[in-house]
Amino acid sequence: MFKSVAIISLFVFVVTAKAQEIHHEKCPDNATQEEINYCVVRNYKIAEDALDSVYSAVLKDVSYEHEWGSSDTSEPDPNVRRALKRSQKEWLKYRDDESALVRTFFEGGSIANAVAWTYRTELTLDRIRELKLLQEFRYTKAVPKPDWEIR
C-alpha cells in the first residue's frame, strides 16, 4: 500500500511542479538602467515565490517518515524536518553571500545591482531544481541519474 501512496505523492508533486512553470519577463535590451533593475528584481520575486511554494511542499512531505514497505505515514519525523530547515537556512545565506560577491565584480558600475539580482535569480532557480531532485531521491529506490551537462 505504501508504494501506491509514494507513487501517487510523487505524481502529485511532479504535476504540481509542472503546473507551476515559472513565467518571467524578458528584460528589454534597450531599456534604461532603472527599467532593467526593476525588471530583474521582478523576475527574482517570481522565482522566489516559486521557490517558497516548492520548499513548502517538500517540507510538508519530508516531515513524515516514509519507509519502504510501511503503510504508516502518519508519524512526523522531526529530524528530517529539522535537517531540511537547516539546509534551507544555510542555502539562503550562501545565495545572499554569492550575490554580494557578484555585485563586487561590478562595483561602481551602473549594472552592479542588475547583475547581482540576475545571479540571485539563477541561484534560486537552481535551488528549485535541487529540491525537486531531493524529492526524486526520496521516492525512488534506484539512484536517479542526474543531468551532468554543464551549462
Side-chain angles (χ1 to χ4, degrees):
M1 178 177 156
F2 174 73
K3 288 181 183 181
S4 299
V5 172
I7 291 170
I8 290 170
S9 296
L10 181 60
F11 177 74
V12 168
F13 180 79
V14 169
V15 169
T16 303
K18 280 287 190 191
Q20 186 195 346
E21 291 182 16
I22 301 170
H23 299 288
H24 69 281
E25 178 180 333
K26 179 165 176 18
C27 300
D29 294 331
N30 60 347
T32 66
Q33 191 60 55
E34 184 179 344
E35 291 168 332
I36 291 171
N37 289 349
Y38 179 77
C39 182
V40 296
V41 169
R42 188 170 52 236
N43 283 337
Y44 164 73
K45 288 180 181 179
I46 292 168
E48 180 69 12
D49 287 346
L51 174 62
D52 290 346
S53 178
V54 170
Y55 173 73
S56 293
V58 173
L59 183 63
K60 182 179 178 185
D61 181 59
V62 301
S63 295
Y64 292 90
E65 187 173 348
H66 296 278
E67 292 184 22
W68 290 104
S70 171
S71 59
D72 182 17
T73 59
S74 60
E75 292 298 317
D77 187 342
N79 294 326
V80 173
R81 183 178 179 90
R82 202 172 10 256
L84 180 59
K85 282 184 169 186
R86 184 177 55 248
S87 171
Q88 185 70 4
K89 183 177 179 180
E90 290 172 7
W91 179 84
L92 289 168
K93 181 177 178 349
Y94 162 78
R95 181 197 61 191
D96 294 347
D97 290 347
E98 287 289 303
S99 298
L101 173 62
V102 167
R103 180 177 279 111
T104 65
F105 295 160
F106 298 90
E107 195 77 31
S110 61
I111 66 168
N113 285 333
V115 172
W117 281 104
T118 300
Y119 187 69
R120 187 181 185 101
T121 302
E122 287 297 323
L123 292 175
T124 301
L125 295 172
D126 287 345
R127 181 61 175 169
I128 291 169
R129 287 187 281 275
E130 290 170 6
L131 290 170
K132 289 178 181 180
L133 183 61
L134 179 70
Q135 283 296 89
E136 193 174 333
F137 276 109
R138 184 158 179 76
Y139 284 111
T140 59
K141 282 186 177 180
V143 175
K145 295 178 183 172
D147 179 4
W148 289 103
E149 179 181 338
I150 299 175
R151 303 184 265 156

